[in-house]
Amino acid sequence: MDINQHFIAIVPAAGVGKRMQANCPKQYLHINKQTILYHTVTKLLSHPLITKVIIALGENDQYFSTSGLANHKDIIRVNGGAERVDSVLSGLKVVDSHINPWVLVHDAARPCVSLEDIDKLISQCLDTNCGGILASPVRDTMKRGTFLQDGLSRIDNTVEREQLWHALTPQLYKTDELTFAIEQALSKALKITDEASAIEFAKLPSLLVLGSSENIKITNPDDLALAEFYLNKQLVK
Ligand SMILES: Nc1ccn([C@@H]2O[C@H](COP(=O)(O)OP(=O)(O)OP(=O)(O)O)[C@@H](O)[C@H]2O)c(=O)n1
Ligand SMILES: C[C@](O)(CO)[C@H](O)COP(=O)(O)O
């Protein structure tokens, strides 16, 4: 990978982690005595091509100041927004596309991403001059369902899983294209849950770059132990 440029990573970290049912936002839960946010941000900054991280924080965030990241010279803080997409857009507003024509976006809740997968994403996107995302193919039979009463659900149909992928992060796009795509999608009140969906609405292409299924998003309580296992597995490599 003959890359002679450096990258900024935007880390949306302004969520409250409702599904985690914890006593603090999930990005501030600890694994091996460090916060998940600390693991994620230091992982990104350990990549030789990532030189700055822009972290979008909640307006009332009371944890960041003691996270071990507060005075890091390569971290820029911005205010997050009501939705993840708003937090990402806040980060994009402080990126100079002349200096950083490409930008990575990576969830604070994904500390298990590997440097090798980040290399693959950067390499494939820059070699093809096309934005893209890390993704992992679906392995199970997939069903579409309908909620019934009393918390029950029923199967409506089986969803074809050929070329069905889990969208992961980082997602890597040209700064100007991503900013335009997100602003356009928001102006049309379109539902944007990742950068790729805004790019799709803008009818721009995206690569699917095969990434490890160990790059989980810590979302529900049982994800924490799994993330700890994967992080510790990386330590012994
Ligand atoms: N308004 C928001 C909502 C989410 N995020 C971030 O986007 C990432 C992925 O979102 P998700 O896993 O949904 O996190 P939460 O929104 O915190 O989780 P929940 O939906 O369970 O509340 C997280 O790192 C989260 O902090 C953000 O920056 N701003
Ligand atoms: C961006 C993302 O990680 C792609 O899978 C995911 O959409 C973010 O989580 P959310 O629950 O959709 O906010």
Side-chain angles (χ1 to χ4, degrees), residues 5-226:
Q5 66 175 296
H6 290 107
F7 296 84
I8 281 185
I10 295 172
V11 175
V16 296
K18 294 185 293 294
R19 289 167 286 179
M20 200 67 197
Q21 302 167 46
N23 57 8
C24 68
K26 62 187 180 184
Q27 57 271 30
Y28 293 110
L29 293 173
H30 285 72
I31 294 176
N32 297 344
K33 297 186 172 59
Q34 292 289 4
T35 64
I36 289 166
L37 180 61
Y38 182 91
H39 285 291
T40 300
V41 172
T42 53
K43 177 72 72 60
L44 292 172
L45 286 171
S46 72
H47 191 286
L49 295 181
I50 298 175
T51 53
K52 288 277 184 212
V53 168
I54 298 170
I55 306 179
L57 296 172
E59 194 176 350
N60 302 315
D61 185 298
Q62 55 186 327
Y63 304 92
F64 184 74
S65 56
T66 55
S67 67
L69 298 169
N71 301 311
H72 195 295
K73 67 180 178 60
D74 296 325
I75 292 174
I76 301 164
R77 294 176 53 171
V78 296
N79 290 329
E83 301 296 333
R84 180 185 179 281
V85 62
D86 302 306
S87 299
V88 171
L89 189 56
S90 294
L92 284 166
K93 295 291 189 191
V94 301
V95 179
D96 180 340
S97 60
H98 296 97
I99 300 170
N100 296 99
W102 293 82
V103 66
L104 289 151
V105 183
H106 184 61
D107 293 329
R110 291 186 188 268
C112 303
V113 64
S114 73
L115 299 184
E116 294 76 17
D117 278 2
I118 295 173
D119 279 343
K120 274 176 69 178
L121 179 67
I122 292 173
S123 176
Q124 291 189 23
C125 288
L126 269 71
D127 287 351
T128 58
N129 195 37
C130 178
I133 73 170
L134 286 179
S136 70
V138 161
R139 292 181 283 199
D140 303 304
T141 295
M142 304 301 287
K143 305 293 183 182
R144 175 74 60 197
T146 297
F147 287 118
L148 302 174
Q149 59 190 10
D150 303 330
L152 297 174
S153 294
R154 71 149 195 262
I155 294 175
D156 288 347
N157 61 282
T158 298
V159 177
E160 173 56 48
R161 66 175 144 169
E162 179 68 27
Q163 280 299 321
L164 195 57
W165 298 69
H166 293 279
L168 311 175
T169 68
Q171 304 196 1
L172 174 61
Y173 290 100
K174 291 178 182 175
T175 306
D176 287 340
E177 286 185 359
L178 181 58
T179 305
F180 168 78
I182 288 178
E183 289 179 334
Q184 184 182 62
L186 289 176
S187 70
K188 297 178 179 176
L190 298 170
K191 183 172 173 58
I192 303 297
T193 56
D194 70 344
E195 290 60 65
S197 40
I199 292 288
E200 293 154 44
F201 282 125
K203 308 241 184 294
L204 294 169
S206 284
L207 293 180
L208 282 163
V209 177
L210 179 63
S212 169
S213 60
E214 295 185 4
N215 178 12
I216 65 170
K217 180 167 70 74
I218 298 171
T219 305
N220 300 307
D222 55 2
D223 294 327
L224 196 59
L226 188 56

